[in-house]
Amino acid sequence: LGFAEDYLPEDEALLGARQLGREVGASPIGPAGGAALRFLAALLDARTVVEIGSGCGVSGIWLLRGMRPDGVLTSVDVEPENQRLARQAYAQAGFGTSRARMIAGRALDVLPRLTDGAYDLVFCDAAKHEYPDYLAEALRLLRPGGVVAFDNALWSGKVADPGRQDPDTVAIREVLRLVREDERLVPMLLPVGDGLLCALKR
Ligand SMILES: C[S@@+](CC[C@H](N)C(=O)[O-])C[C@H]1O[C@@H](n2cnc3c(N)ncnc32)[C@H](O)[C@@H]1O
């Protein structure tokens, strides 16, 4: 993976979840991106985090490891089987069931039911063509000083290639533009893994 990706090696719980994620096609965030999520959760002293796209639990474990010990991760995924595997992965990593609230459903059906201004961090990693909609939901869900983060902001180089016009690539490009132009936000694009776009809501 390279020096930066390997700098913080993953333990057995993360490696196990990573392998399952690859097997079921729920491509996990890379180790350096995971470490960035843990860092953000710790910096924010996060008690409440929303994750859009549980997958098999890699990003969830990294987030939980940065959050306060009494923090609750709300994790949304349309595939109940992925959520079952994610839950198992959290248990493998030593987290009690009360630390995660798994909500099965399509992100854009579930997110409107979550409370405004109640979250410290929102991590987006589900349907790429929905990223602009996730941004709008995240801005509603975050408290002032909260952070939204998007995985796959570089999308294997496709975002930077003007020849690529498929819906996923176009939507990621759009969210990059929206975040840069929004004066309520303090943006940052981290080139870790496949790219982690972060923005703090003032
Ligand atoms: C890239 S994987 C998430 C990987 C996970 N964040 C990790 O790092 O381990 C994307 C997940 O989003 C889910 N998903 C796809 N479209 C969705 C939607 N519209 N609403 C909710 N979940 C969705 C898939 O079932 C899949 O588990």
Side-chain angles (χ1 to χ4, degrees), residues 138-149:
L139 294 181
R140 181 181 63 72
L141 293 171
L142 287 173
R143 62 156 166 96
V147 170
V148 58

Side-chain angles (χ1 to χ4, degrees), residues 133-172:
D133 300 304
Y134 298 166
L135 175 64
E137 289 297 327
L139 294 181
R140 181 181 63 72
L141 293 171
L142 287 173
R143 62 156 166 96
V147 170
V148 58
F150 294 84
D151 192 22
N152 310 110
L154 300 174
W155 206 221
S156 312
K158 293 197 277 285
V159 164
D161 175 355
R164 306 301 289 249
Q165 293 293 336
D166 61 279
D168 288 345
T169 304
V170 168
I172 298 171

